Amino acid sequence: MLNLSQSLGLSSIRVSGSAWTPASEGDLVAWYKNQTGILLNDADVSKWEDSANSYDMVQATATEQPAYNSGDIDFDSSDTQYLQSTSDIVLSGEFTFGIKLSPDATNVVVVGDNTAPNEFFKITSTNKLRFKTDGNEVDLSLDSGTFIGDFNLVVTRNSSDLITLWVNGVAQDDTETLAGTAEINAIGVRNSDNNPYDGTISEVQIYSSTSSGLTANVNDYLSSI
């Protein structure tokens, strides 16, 4: 299968990889930047600052703080480790999520809302990602391979509420449609402290828009981390 750049011929519209960063986008809502804005409690993460706005993710409880490991934030589900903001990121229309991660298990939430029910992105099995909002859900299946190991994950929703999953720059065949207001205030858990993530997360980008150019830039940027 062709990747996004090859299938759409985006070289003429993509911002140069050396110049583009998430901060180049006016619709950047939150950016948890790799190896940036990380406050440590010894070797554990007590805060991951939002490099775009003020949705800082924090964890005051020492036993629930993920570890910092060579630039990656390492979550252990046995201790229900997660980071949480005091306010919600609210996305009622288009969005783009870009995440660099390496899950070690399934049935784990990557990002979600830990104060409101039914709001999350969850790896439900080795080949399915679930997006749930306002009590409704869709499952997006991989074309091949599994969600275990290192990869770049991008999820987009366009103006027609079409949800598309991208893995390592390749759009997966399974697309779904789901409207609703997505609310996010936590990395690694959903309400209430359920399905804790297990594995590492290196970067999270959240935008209130989507386009072929933005998706290409996010995929390229994540692949360079």
Side-chain angles (χ1 to χ4, degrees), residues 14-130:
R14 183 189 302 141
V15 178
S16 169
S18 61
W20 186 91
T21 74
S24 304
E25 301 294 331
D27 290 328
L28 177 65
V29 177
W31 182 16
Y32 306 100
K33 187 177 180 181
N34 179 244
Q35 302 184 50
T36 302
I38 296 170
L39 276 65
L40 296 179
N41 174 24
D42 292 328
D44 297 330
V45 178
S46 62
K47 186 177 186 179
W48 197 359
E49 294 178 347
D50 175 13
S51 293
N53 291 297
S54 57
Y55 300 105
D56 296 344
M57 295 286 178
V58 301
Q59 180 55 262
T61 304
T63 58
E64 296 176 352
Q65 292 172 348
Y68 190 61
N69 185 7
S70 301
D72 299 327
I73 298 180
D74 195 347
F75 297 78
D76 184 346
S77 62
S78 65
D79 291 327
T80 312
Q81 296 175 347
Y82 64 94
L83 301 168
Q84 185 170 332
S85 174
T86 57
S87 56
D88 277 6
I89 296 167
V90 179
L91 301 166
S92 58
E94 295 183 359
F95 62 64
T96 299
F97 280 79
I99 305 171
K100 179 84 171 185
L101 71 169
S102 181
D104 291 331
T106 61
N107 196 35
V108 295
V109 167
V110 181
V111 294
D113 195 306
N114 201 29
T115 54
N118 302 314
E119 302 286 339
F120 55 79
F121 288 91
K122 180 170 71 170
I123 298 171
T124 60
S125 68
T126 56
N127 69 336
K128 290 185 184 296
L129 177 77
R130 176 168 296 167

Side-chain angles (χ1 to χ4, degrees), residues 125-146:
S125 68
T126 56
N127 69 336
K128 290 185 184 296
L129 177 77
R130 176 168 296 167
F131 169 50
K132 189 166 187 176
T133 184
D134 297 342
N136 301 308
E137 65 189 40
V138 291
D139 288 333
L140 300 155
S141 299
L142 293 177
D143 292 347
S144 62
T146 76

